[in-house]
Amino acid sequence: RLTSRRCPPSLQVSFELEMLDDNYHVSPLIGFFLGTADVTYVSADAELLTNPTLQTWLAQQTLVVFDAKRNQVAAHRLGLELPPIDFDVLLASYLLNPDQNSNDFGQIAQDHDYQLAFDADVYGKGAKRAVPEQPALFAHFAAKAQALATLTPHLIADLKDQNQFDLFTDMELPLAQVLARMEMQGITLDQARLRDMGKQFSQTIKVLEEKIYGEAGVKFNLNSPKQLGEILFEKLNLPVIKKTKTGYSTSVEVLDQLRGGHPIVQDILDYRAVAKLNSTYVTGLLKAVLPDGKIHTRYLQTLTQTGRLSSVDPNMQNIPARDEGKQIRRAFVPSQPGWQIFSSDYSQIELRVLAHISGDENMQEAFREDRDIHANTAMKIFNLDSPDQVTPDMRRQAKATNFGIVYGISDFGLAKNIGISRKQAKAFIDSYFEQYPKVHDYMDKMVQVARDQGYVETLFHRRRYLNQIHSRNFNLRQFAERTAMNTPIQGSAADIIKVAMINMQQMLEAEHLQSRMLLQVHDELIFEGPEAEMATLAKLVPKVMDSAVKLAIPLKVESSYGPDWFQAK
């Protein structure tokens, strides 16, 4: 029994709402613990947290948790709002070692020389995962509470030593609260519209199947690589590109090289594309809808080494943005009548970050004058005098070169990506560095920094350690060098949109708007709100996103809105 008299206010309290499954939007709550310096309270009844006396006491405490967002969402399911969380061991550990992306507290504790049982050892795995008897359950709860209390001061000291404490307190921890709010809000799915799309996709699949069978001269299992390989390479005598241990390769890469060799190849590619749309996005999204008619994704804040967010259950960052697949976005609609979906995204943010970090005057000038950066590059690598001479294919190749350079691409990789000779690719890269010489200097400098200190940093001091930078293995060393070049760019871009999200949530509240942020998809933020607020958002959102960080060149933000996600772009 917990009362405010027995536990005075302003304690550091280790807290967790425990669940068996990863998806905390739906996983059963199996209990909670509250640990102070003197005593740990454990319970297998999460509903006890709704006790008014306990709520009043909890609101006065300083909370230390493992995975703030998970706990905030779980508390919301009980109708509770947790007080501000002071420290998150998971987030802190991630910043200190972004290569370790386990979400098991036992693994994280072990990484910091603290012994704690893994959840898998207590609860089991897969079909055998279950709640143990209460003595074992409560012992695990108490051990976790002690681990939180013990590890916290050490992690705080490590963050300060690595100049990352501000990154933790000003970015990652506030972002967890913003993401929790977005996840709890969810985005509405028009299920009827999506089912209609599924029917259309099914009809297209049947038409393509019959066409492919006609071209092959025989019916076969289109989803069997073995049977497909026999049709393509034995019956139709197409050239064999690649073999696997089990037979002919029929991968997309192989089929791409066979385009033009026979009409069946394009039809197979079309069949696969439509089948994927139907299974992954129609069937998959419909399965992911919760009883409120919404999709509630989970953002993984501690997965990528660069700081970029990932999305699962379902992956909302993987909804197609081009070609026929973009139609899927029509099914994502506002949650209320008279509302609109609003989209705002950074234009070429990684290239702008590169222009800033490298200090290259030519690239900065192009962005300041709002030139088409890809056409600008195309003019140089194709020796053109005017942007009017740049063809769409030239621009496509220049775009691949621009972004390839960001990722430290080789002439071999660029040649493969855009279908040119290795000699041509080398000439493209050489021309690129002639146009932007300080970009080349930046690349060399980052590799040297990585060699000297073992890590590189973003503009916000997010670190990525590169243990293979001195490897004797050429491939491992080359990968580490490319990573050294790219991480400050990609990581800084990820940090910028995180700052924008935090500032945007504060602005929505300060302006008392009904509009709310729903999704982050790479460099894009998705909102919903009343139609009457769209003009306000059109001014407010780009302003907030523009001012997330001060660079040597302006950030560019493009916004639009419509009755669904498709029409908001």
Side-chain angles (χ1 to χ4, degrees), residues 159-365:
L159 287 170
K160 290 179 177 178
D161 286 345
Q162 294 191 12
N163 198 23
Q164 291 184 301
F165 191 66
D166 289 347
L167 178 64
F168 174 82
T169 57
D170 298 345
M171 185 185 295
E172 292 297 343
L173 197 56
L175 180 70
Q177 190 166 355
V178 173
L179 291 173
R181 190 184 296 256
M182 291 165 59
E183 290 183 15
M184 292 184 292
Q185 184 61 48
I187 187 166
T188 302
L189 187 74
D190 186 335
Q191 297 174 66
R193 185 181 293 184
L194 194 59
R195 288 192 183 96
D196 285 342
M197 288 184 204
K199 291 175 184 176
Q200 293 170 18
F201 291 147
S202 296
Q203 290 173 357
T204 302
I205 288 168
K206 287 180 182 178
V207 170
L208 285 169
E209 281 177 344
E210 292 305 317
K211 190 178 180 186
I212 291 166
Y213 295 151
E215 291 163 335
V218 65
K219 281 194 173 184
F220 63 99
N221 182 355
L222 259 169
N223 298 312
S224 165
K226 183 176 186 296
Q227 292 184 34
L228 178 59
E230 291 169 355
I231 294 292
L232 294 178
F233 305 113
E234 295 178 10
K235 192 170 190 302
L236 300 178
N237 293 315
L238 290 172
V240 176
I241 305 293
K242 183 181 178 183
K243 280 195 168 186
T244 66
K245 291 179 180 179
T246 56
Y248 304 108
S249 171
T250 59
S251 67
V252 172
E253 183 183 16
V254 167
L255 294 181
D256 276 339
Q257 294 181 60
L258 294 173
R259 285 178 196 264
H262 194 288
I264 196 173
V265 176
Q266 185 60 56
D267 290 329
I268 291 167
L269 286 167
D270 292 343
Y271 166 84
R272 285 184 176 179
V274 179
K276 179 176 175 61
L277 288 175
N278 202 34
S279 62
T280 302
Y281 299 110
V282 175
T283 304
L285 287 172
L286 288 171
K287 284 181 179 178
V289 179
L290 295 189
D292 62 359
K294 294 182 177 183
I295 295 285
H296 296 265
T297 189
R298 289 191 298 123
Y299 283 103
L300 304 183
Q301 200 175 344
T302 59
L303 180 67
T304 69
Q305 289 93 336
T306 59
R308 274 194 173 272
L309 296 173
S310 295
S311 165
V312 294
D313 297 330
N315 183 356
M316 291 300 296
Q317 297 185 332
N318 205 30
I319 305 298
R322 297 182 185 85
D323 305 323
E324 181 68 17
K326 191 177 179 183
Q327 299 294 325
I328 296 291
R329 297 185 174 211
R330 292 187 185 276
F332 293 96
V333 297
S335 61
Q336 299 186 39
W339 283 35
Q340 298 275 300
I341 297 291
F342 184 95
S343 167
S344 197
D345 70 303
Y346 285 113
S347 174
Q348 300 168 338
I349 187 170
E350 290 188 359
L351 292 177
R352 290 172 189 269
V353 169
L354 174 59
H356 170 82
I357 291 179
S358 68
D360 188 273
E361 292 88 351
N362 293 339
M363 186 177 283
Q364 290 184 3
E365 182 184 8

Side-chain angles (χ1 to χ4, degrees), residues 476-490:
L476 292 177
R477 188 173 67 253
Q478 284 279 295
F479 178 77
E481 290 176 359
R482 290 196 301 272
T483 302
M485 301 172 193
N486 170 253
T487 292
I489 303 165
Q490 191 181 47

Side-chain angles (χ1 to χ4, degrees), residues 350-351 354 399-415 417 422 425 429 432-433 439-440 442-444 446-447 474-475 477-490:
E350 290 188 359
L351 292 177
L354 174 59
K399 182 178 181 180
T401 303
N402 275 330
F403 286 112
I405 294 295
V406 169
Y407 286 89
I409 201 167
S410 65
D411 51 8
F412 175 79
L414 182 61
N417 282 358
R422 190 166 179 178
I429 293 172
Y432 178 97
F433 285 132
V439 172
H440 191 275
Y442 158 78
M443 300 293 186
D444 289 343
M446 284 300 100
V447 171
F474 176 80
N475 290 331
R477 188 173 67 253
Q478 284 279 295
F479 178 77
E481 290 176 359
R482 290 196 301 272
T483 302
M485 301 172 193
N486 170 253
T487 292
I489 303 165
Q490 191 181 47

